[in-house]
Amino acid sequence: MLGASRRSWLSALFTGPGFGARTIRGSGDIDVHIVTHAHMGRGRGLPRAGGGLTLRRQLAGYLLALVLAPVLTVALTSDRGGLNLISDVLIFLVAVIVVALVGGFVPAVLLAVVSSLLLNYFFTPPIHQWTIAEANNALALGVFVVVALLVSSVVDMAARRTRQAARASAESALLATTAGDVLAGQRPVEAVLDRVREAFGMDSVTLLERAGDGAAPAGPAATWTVVARSGPEAVTRPDEADVEVPVAKGLRLALRGRTLTAADHRVLNAFAAYAAVALEQQRLAAEAEAARPIAEADRMRTALLTAVSHDLRTPLASAKAAVTSLRSPDVTWDAADREELLATADESLDKLTRVVGNLLDMSRLQAGALAVFRRPTALDEVVAGALDDLGPASRDVIVDIPESLPEVEADPGILERVIVNLTGNALRYSPPGQPPLLAASALGDRVELRVVDRGPGIPADDRERVFVPFQRLGDTDNTSGVGLGLALSRGLTEVMGGTLDLDETPGGGLTMIISLPAAAADGPRTTAPGRRERDAAAAGPQATAPGRRERDETAGTH
């Protein structure tokens, strides 16, 4: 890795190639990287729009003409008897053409004039005199001069056309690249300014905005703000710049380094339009990014109000009806009826507690305020507690957990809630006679628990959508629940350092995969406590054995 040379081309011409060039030449298969510095970053600018050949080629043409004229004269005079005047004229014409190809019009014309004089003095009778005895010789010299001038003119015109084509190609490529940078949207304003600085070889390029969105006066009293810049020193006012062009109302593009030609100004105006578009795009993107949390919060609020309207109203209505019936003085209830009404009220309040608990947990997850207590946990004990929580519906669930399975690093209470949600979802969609399967296995330093069902499954394109809160695939109303189960389950799994993914069950159905880090092999085996003991511990030392509703409320505090 080498630094770029700061020597000029003239210095390199007289002193030979630099260290970097010699290193590259002898590097062989070794990659050589040349690192530029601040001055190198300016670039050489666009090719000149007008003019003929470069100064270097013109100097080479003058030097070649200065060498060819005496050399050809000496060579042809030494062989005067072998060649006639026509041959001498043709040889000098070839020399003029060569000079025209190398140096352009002016060196070729100069050689043509000098050659005509040399031919007249050394090769046209009478020799060593400035007179021409024969008219044919005079015609030959005249044709020679005309042909030399025409060839020189054609070569110079071709050079001009080539330079104009190179300029047009460079402009098109530069504008196309800049348009791509603007469309890409990654720092579009800075990308445009970098292109301007590189294209025109400027020290710095600054985009200025007048205070007050263009309403302030544009004179010396106007206040300007630097919107973006490229280069070490930003221009703070348009009058400090060597070149400044209007971009839009209240916007100026200020360049410092050198003045520009009219052709450069035309390209610079196109860059100014790009800068205006890029700034507008950048500000719209910033506004959209700032509005995204507000829109997301509004969407969540709307979805929440729509979704919970049924899930809160239904259990409240059932509990209210049961309690109102029990308190009615007009009806006498026997023991069985009272027990059934109390069970209805209790189940409705349990459902309401779970809904509220899920909403609170989702709020804690999104706020990053959910307390997690990770420790080595036996997965079989947690699964047993989850199935016990699901009640009679989980009796047919198939469990396949090897005794040699290592413990996992997890919060037992949170993990149990995740398993309850996933297993309940699998039970809901499993066809009769095909109960879900809970299978665990160790994979390296992680443990996977798969909840497998034979239900309708979920298309691959829609699998990530089921993790969006307050959404259920295929729902047209809210009768099937608030849609927080899978979203909450993934969030709870991730706060424990795990992952929750969906896969297709071979033969049809859905497989939900919980992946958790395995606990250290030398750590003590911790048996997950029963649900009642955990709830009692979470509630405090004075707590007594709670009922189902209190247990669910306590579990929601994990």
Side-chain angles (χ1 to χ4, degrees):
M1 185 174 295
L2 304 175
S5 174
R6 288 179 168 86
R7 298 188 307 161
S8 64
W9 66 268
L10 187 61
S11 175
L13 180 65
F14 288 103
T15 61
F19 180 77
R22 294 197 304 271
T23 303
I24 294 173
R25 187 180 305 162
S27 61
D29 295 335
I30 301 175
D31 294 334
V32 179
H33 298 271
I34 304 296
V35 181
T36 61
H37 48 83
H39 296 288
M40 295 292 292
R42 289 180 53 184
R44 293 188 173 183
L46 292 170
R48 291 186 302 168
L53 299 175
T54 62
L55 178 61
R56 181 181 301 182
R57 288 189 60 179
Q58 291 181 11
L59 292 177
Y62 285 118
L63 181 62
L64 186 60
L66 185 64
V67 171
L68 285 179
V71 169
L72 288 179
T73 301
V74 173
L76 292 176
T77 53
S78 63
D79 191 24
R80 190 185 305 277
L83 297 175
N84 57 21
L85 180 61
I86 300 301
S87 299
D88 297 333
V89 170
L90 292 177
I91 292 174
F92 272 97
L93 181 60
V94 171
V96 172
I97 294 175
V98 171
V99 171
L101 292 174
V102 173
F105 181 74
V106 177
V109 170
L110 179 62
L111 180 60
V113 173
V114 173
S115 298
S116 64
L117 296 176
L118 292 175
L119 286 170
N120 183 13
Y121 188 79
F122 289 101
F123 303 99
T124 304
I127 304 298
H128 299 155
Q129 295 184 17
W130 296 108
T131 59
I132 301 176
E134 298 182 9
N136 288 334
N137 294 336
L139 178 62
L141 291 178
V143 171
F144 164 77
V145 174
V146 171
V147 171
L149 293 177
L150 291 177
V151 171
S152 301
S153 177
V154 169
V155 172
D156 187 72
M157 187 178 298
R160 291 177 182 273
R161 295 288 185 266
T162 301
R163 184 169 295 277
Q164 291 173 359
R167 167 80 180 204
S169 177
E171 289 179 3
S172 300
L174 187 60
L175 293 175
T177 305
T178 306
D181 292 339
V182 173
L183 293 176
Q186 299 179 352
R187 299 175 63 250
V189 178
E190 288 79 1
V192 173
L193 300 188
D194 289 340
R195 294 291 181 183
V196 172
R197 179 168 175 254
E198 178 184 357
F200 299 105
M202 290 294 180
D203 293 332
S204 67
V205 179
T206 309
L207 183 62
L208 299 173
E209 184 175 25
R210 194 164 61 241
D213 195 21
T223 302
W224 295 88
T225 303
V226 176
V227 178
R229 73 172 187 181
S230 174
E233 298 181 1
V235 177
T236 58
R237 298 182 57 82
D239 52 15
E240 298 176 1
D242 295 317
V243 180
E244 65 97 7
V245 294
V247 176
K249 183 180 180 181
L251 286 175
R252 292 291 186 274
L253 196 61
L255 290 74
R256 174 182 290 171
R258 65 185 181 91
T259 58
L260 299 179
T261 64
D264 289 335
H265 272 279
R266 177 175 54 83
V267 181
L268 187 58
N269 289 330
F271 276 112
Y274 280 151
V277 174
L279 182 61
E280 183 69 16
Q281 174 182 332
Q282 182 172 300
R283 289 178 172 174
L284 289 176
E287 292 176 2
E289 189 66 25
R292 184 174 301 174
I294 301 175
E296 181 66 18
D298 184 69
R299 187 192 68 81
M300 294 285 287
R301 187 183 302 108
T302 302
L304 174 62
L305 293 175
T306 303
V308 303
S309 61
H310 174 270
D311 291 89
L312 294 178
R313 187 183 305 162
T314 299
L316 280 175
S318 299
K320 176 66 175 176
V323 173
T324 301
S325 299
L326 289 172
R327 295 187 59 188
S328 175
D330 300 332
V331 181
T332 302
W333 306 97
D334 56 24
D337 292 335
R338 290 176 60 85
E339 183 65 25
E340 183 176 355
L341 289 173
L342 288 173
T344 299
D346 186 57
E347 291 176 0
S348 299
L349 292 176
D350 284 344
K351 183 176 180 181
L352 180 62
T353 300
R354 286 194 295 272
V355 171
V356 174
N358 284 343
L359 292 173
L360 292 177
D361 283 345
M362 180 59 67
S363 299
R364 294 190 188 101
L365 278 175
Q366 293 179 342
L370 185 68
V372 180
F373 305 98
R374 293 175 55 185
R375 56 185 181 273
T377 303
L379 188 59
D380 53 352
E381 297 291 340
V382 177
V383 170
L387 295 180
D388 178 67
D389 185 78
L390 288 170
S394 65
R395 293 175 181 174
D396 296 331
V397 175
I398 303 173
V399 179
D400 182 12
I401 300 179
E403 294 182 359
S404 59
L405 189 72
E407 294 181 323
V408 296
E409 284 286 343
D411 184 310
I414 293 179
L415 179 57
E416 184 174 318
R417 290 202 60 187
V418 172
I419 297 175
V420 167
N421 284 340
L422 298 184
T423 307
N425 187 78
L427 286 168
R428 186 179 303 112
Y429 293 104
S430 293
Q434 293 182 318
L437 166 66
L438 272 64
S441 59
L443 296 174
D445 59 348
R446 301 188 72 82
V447 175
E448 286 189 353
L449 176 64
R450 295 175 176 264
V451 182
V452 184
D453 67 60
R454 296 290 180 178
I458 298 176
D461 295 339
D462 295 332
R463 287 174 187 167
E464 287 301 316
R465 289 175 51 200
V466 301
F467 293 111
V468 178
F470 312 116
Q471 290 192 13
R472 287 177 179 270
L473 292 182
D475 284 355
T476 56
D477 54 28
N478 294 315
T479 61
S480 56
V482 75
L484 274 177
L486 291 181
L488 181 59
S489 298
R490 169 172 276 189
L492 293 175
T493 304
E494 290 176 349
V495 298
M496 294 188 296
T499 59
L500 175 59
D501 299 305
L502 302 183
D503 196 5
E504 182 180 0
T505 302
L510 183 67
T511 298
M512 292 169 279
I513 307 170
I514 304 174
S515 178
L516 294 167
D522 55 352
R525 179 176 175 86
T526 302
T527 302
R531 177 84 175 209
R532 185 181 300 273
E533 289 78 3
R534 286 199 313 277
D535 292 335
Q542 302 299 324
T544 58
R548 180 180 180 87
R549 180 174 63 208
E550 288 80 2
R551 291 202 307 273
D552 287 337
E553 291 174 345
T554 306
T557 64
H558 282 283

